[in-house]
Amino acid sequence: MSVAVISSLYHCEPHLPRFTAAVFGFAKQVSEVGLSVHYVPIVNDASDYERTQIDLLTREINANYYGRMTPVYVPRESLYASWNRGIAASQAPYIAFWNADDTRSAEGFIEGLRALQDGSNLVDFPFTRVSAVRRLFLFPQQQRLDVPRLYDPESFARGNGLGPFFMMSRALYQRVGPFDEAFRVAGDMEWAGRALAHARFHPGQSNGGAFLIHGDNLSNTGGDREDIEVNIIFLRRGEWRHLRPAHPRAQQDAWHSWGNPGGFQLPDEIEDFLWGPAAHERWRQYQRERRQGSVQRRIRLALAARGLLRSAEWSLYQRDQQGSL
């Protein structure tokens, strides 16, 4: 098998009919162009329904010679523990991932695999962000937004983690090391930071697929846990200017309980920014500003730039430009 597609599945019943149909169609399509794919779903704490549907999909793919599927059933574990487990369960030289609530593009997948076979070891793609919105208080409508490729090997900041459809070589994974299983949300971004020094990056031109926003996503939601984990990434790297206000007590607890295995001593001003006396009000203001609409945000930033309004976001922008916290 030339490429392993790893899926970490947990309580995915609402997405399972669409996911299994998409995987089967994808498997048929890529097999028709001669690609040999090993599908490895890691099913966490499987319900009877999930086990039945995954076993059925496995039989259909294997019986029709649309690649090979070997599901692995495990108790609940972190997403990144499942990714590491899935990689260990396959010998394929190239690796991709597929979340149950997303849909991979065969076109992007084929481009990525060809790039890896030609000598690249990491590929990322633009993708489509799909979410439900209400217009004029009517029924929800689907909104589709094209998102540029996220990963940038020349500039690694909060917005430059890997997109949901990235691909890599096993050789790169072995060199960089496994995903950090202590992370629950931003482990792929943490791994991407470690990969910077070793990546021969191919910027994918095809659309990687559709990323569905439904309210229960782990990442790309701007939630407290994601903010905390991304801060830990940059705390470990000593890159203070990329830090953002997060829940002070939760940030402090995370850093001391699992985020700082090397026992790194932070400068006093960094601790003060994240969990000092003024940190809670700074975090609350930052949260309020993030919830504002785009028009309000532009007005607020324009006024802050002229010194007419206090803004946590504008202060952070100025610090970014200065290159320090």
Side-chain angles (χ1 to χ4, degrees), residues 269-281:
E269 62 269 23
I270 302 304
E271 292 192 352
D272 186 66
F273 174 78
L274 290 173
W275 52 75
H280 191 269
E281 179 53 37

Side-chain angles (χ1 to χ4, degrees), residues 5-324:
V5 175
I6 315 298
S7 297
S8 175
L9 309 178
Y10 174 66
H11 285 191
C12 60
E13 290 95 337
H15 308 289
L16 206 50
R18 186 176 56 83
F19 172 72
T20 54
V23 171
F24 184 78
F26 174 94
K28 182 177 185 296
Q29 187 174 353
V30 299
S31 70
E32 289 173 347
V33 297
L35 299 189
S36 178
V37 181
H38 184 194
Y39 301 92
V40 189
I42 309 297
V43 192
N44 286 244
D45 190 22
S47 66
D48 291 341
Y49 173 75
E50 288 171 320
R51 187 180 291 269
T52 297
Q53 294 303 308
I54 294 300
D55 286 348
L56 177 60
L57 177 63
T58 299
R59 289 195 297 271
E60 289 179 340
I61 286 178
N62 294 345
N64 287 283
Y65 304 102
Y66 296 154
R68 179 165 62 96
M69 177 172 280
T70 54
V72 180
Y73 295 95
V74 298
R76 187 181 181 184
E77 60 187 7
S78 75
L79 168 67
Y80 303 106
S82 284
W83 280 13
N84 289 331
R85 184 187 299 276
I87 292 169
S90 177
Q91 298 303 311
Y94 308 112
I95 299 161
F97 303 93
W98 190 335
N99 297 322
D101 44 3
D102 300 335
T103 303
R104 283 203 77 111
S105 154
E107 179 185 8
F109 183 84
I110 292 168
E111 178 196 340
L113 181 56
R114 298 304 187 216
L116 293 171
Q117 291 172 330
D118 288 342
S120 299
N121 59 14
L122 184 63
V123 183
D124 198 16
F125 303 92
F127 61 96
T128 301
R129 182 184 176 108
V130 181
S131 58
V133 296
R134 292 183 181 273
R135 299 188 185 279
L136 300 177
F137 305 100
L138 299 176
F139 295 105
Q141 298 179 5
Q142 194 177 82
Q143 182 183 68
R144 302 177 68 87
L145 176 67
D146 290 333
V147 179
R149 183 174 51 251
L150 298 180
Y151 190 70
D152 181 355
E154 303 300 323
S155 175
F156 186 69
R158 294 183 80 91
N160 299 125
L162 291 162
F165 304 106
F166 75 97
M167 302 172 70
M168 64 182 177
S169 71
R170 181 176 295 274
L172 178 63
Y173 174 82
Q174 291 171 336
R175 187 167 187 181
V176 174
F179 294 94
D180 187 330
E181 297 177 7
F183 284 80
R184 297 207 315 248
V185 181
D188 48 341
M189 183 176 184
E190 189 276 334
W191 186 91
R194 286 187 279 132
L196 283 170
H198 312 289
R200 297 188 301 276
F201 181 63
H202 172 80
Q205 302 303 306
S206 304
N207 186 289
F211 174 76
L212 178 64
I213 300 296
H214 50 74
D216 293 322
N217 305 78
L218 286 176
S219 62
N220 290 284
T221 63
D224 285 342
R225 177 74 187 199
E226 184 173 11
D227 288 342
I228 288 166
E229 290 192 5
V230 174
N231 275 347
I232 286 174
I233 292 169
F234 290 106
L235 286 171
R236 290 180 177 182
R237 296 171 64 86
E239 297 178 358
W240 319 129
R241 69 192 182 98
H242 297 309
L243 300 176
R244 294 293 181 268
H247 189 288
R249 177 60 63 82
Q251 181 74 75
Q252 185 178 25
D253 289 347
W255 176 247
H256 290 306
S257 63
W258 64 266
N260 185 23
F264 181 66
Q265 181 61 50
L266 296 175
D268 290 343
E269 62 269 23
I270 302 304
E271 292 192 352
D272 186 66
F273 174 78
L274 290 173
W275 52 75
H280 191 269
E281 179 53 37
R282 183 185 302 113
W283 167 67
R284 292 295 298 271
Q285 182 179 351
Y286 184 61
Q287 291 295 309
R288 287 193 296 269
E289 291 182 11
R290 291 171 77 184
R291 288 193 292 267
Q292 290 178 339
S294 59
V295 174
Q296 288 177 292
R297 179 176 178 270
R298 286 196 296 270
I299 294 172
R300 171 175 45 78
L301 292 176
L303 292 173
R306 291 164 174 78
L308 301 175
L309 185 71
R310 179 172 173 267
S311 167
E313 187 179 8
W314 178 252
S315 297
L316 293 166
Y317 171 77
Q318 289 181 302
R319 288 167 176 169
D320 276 356
Q321 298 303 107
Q322 295 167 1
S324 64

